[in-house]
Amino acid sequence: MLPYYYGGDSMITITSKEIKKIPVLELVQSDKKEDVLPLVFFYHGWTGCKEKVLTQGYEIAKRGFRVVLPDALYHGERLVSGKASEHKLEFWKIIVNSIKEFPDLLTYYRNKFGIKSEKIGVSGLSMGGITTCALLRVYPQITAAVCLMGSPAPSSFARQLLHAIPGMEEINPNYVEDQIKSLEVMDLSLNPQKINSRPIHFWHGTNDATVPYQPTKSFFEQIRNHSYAKNVTFTTTQGATHKVSYETTVEMADKFADYLA
């Protein structure tokens, strides 16, 4: 357990845990670590790990939440048979696995500490942002979310990614289509009504070459006037690339302070 001071008399406690074989870091204000608090999950990006998103975890925890940073499959403490970057063909399997594991994490925290007013937030950057949108599609118990440079349309984004991987022309196209079709059950863009008036914020930079800006912005424009999306907002940073700034991190944490207070 390692305390992290952030000013004054306040302190964030960081605890390393393994929950159902899922390595996580848990962040909470030290004087509230046994309290019943709203719960927020933050998911890291491709080739990242839970330690790489500690800044995001700190900012959320400073606002009075219990924060959980999981390691995704083949990342961080879950590395197997080489670097995460060697699992490109399993990119979507990694996200699907995070979706399947979410109830186990939720059950642990509900039983261990309780969740104040059942307020549950999810966020993430890049691959973690894609995971965030997929979780929203699948789990109605999620209260609010912030998606940082992710995509709410994994099916179309998967096709783009797969065609960019060297050697894909040698893969059976039926296999590729089957893999993409399997993503439809977690594709928020195919059933945006699942938002169901929940507060969701998107952030994206216009010069993102990894997860393109325009498809996510177009999704927002298509849904913004529907009643189910009345609490969806979007921040654009002109010229920003595939990197989350500290200012955007603060905006994300402030959103949860508004959404889950």
Side-chain angles (χ1 to χ4, degrees), residues 92 126 130 147-153 156-161 164 202-219 234 240-242:
W92 297 105
S126 190
I130 298 170
C147 172
L148 305 178
M149 60 188 191
S151 171
S156 58
F157 186 49
R159 185 170 279 104
Q160 173 190 330
L161 279 182
F202 290 89
W203 172 83
H204 222 121
T206 56
N207 286 5
D208 191 332
T210 304
V211 182
Y213 165 81
Q214 195 55 53
T216 304
K217 178 64 171 176
S218 295
F219 169 77
F234 196 109
T241 58
H242 196 67

Side-chain angles (χ1 to χ4, degrees), residues 136 144-147 188 195 198-202 231-234 259:
L136 280 167
V146 179
C147 172
L188 187 63
I195 292 171
R198 287 177 290 181
I200 303 169
H201 182 69
F202 290 89
N231 295 314
V232 180
T233 55
F234 196 109
Y259 296 158

Side-chain angles (χ1 to χ4, degrees), residues 12 27-29 32 37-40 57 59-67 119 253 255-261:
I12 299 293
L27 289 78
V28 65
Q29 290 177 339
K32 296 180 179 180
L37 302 171
L39 183 65
V40 180
E59 288 299 327
I60 303 169
K62 281 163 60 173
R63 287 152 176 80
F65 304 112
R66 190 180 309 280
V67 184
K119 291 184 177 180
K255 289 291 183 182
F256 282 121
D258 291 340
Y259 296 158
L260 304 178

Side-chain angles (χ1 to χ4, degrees), residues 133-150:
C133 292
L135 286 166
L136 280 167
R137 163 71 191 264
V138 177
Y139 297 110
Q141 59 266 51
I142 292 169
T143 308
V146 179
C147 172
L148 305 178
M149 60 188 191

Side-chain angles (χ1 to χ4, degrees), residues 95-107:
I95 294 175
V96 169
N97 191 72
S98 292
I99 308 308
K100 290 179 178 177
E101 290 177 342
F102 184 74
D104 288 334
L105 296 175
L106 204 55
T107 297

Side-chain angles (χ1 to χ4, degrees), residues 164-208:
I165 296 174
M168 279 307 298
E169 63 277 1
E170 300 174 11
I171 304 295
N172 186 327
N174 292 329
Y175 169 80
V176 173
E177 286 305 313
D178 286 345
Q179 293 299 302
I180 293 173
K181 191 166 182 61
S182 70
L183 300 176
E184 292 180 358
V185 295
M186 65 178 202
D187 193 318
L188 187 63
S189 71
L190 296 180
N191 195 349
Q193 294 85 354
K194 291 285 186 178
I195 292 171
N196 196 26
S197 300
R198 287 177 290 181
I200 303 169
H201 182 69
F202 290 89
W203 172 83
H204 222 121
T206 56
N207 286 5
D208 191 332

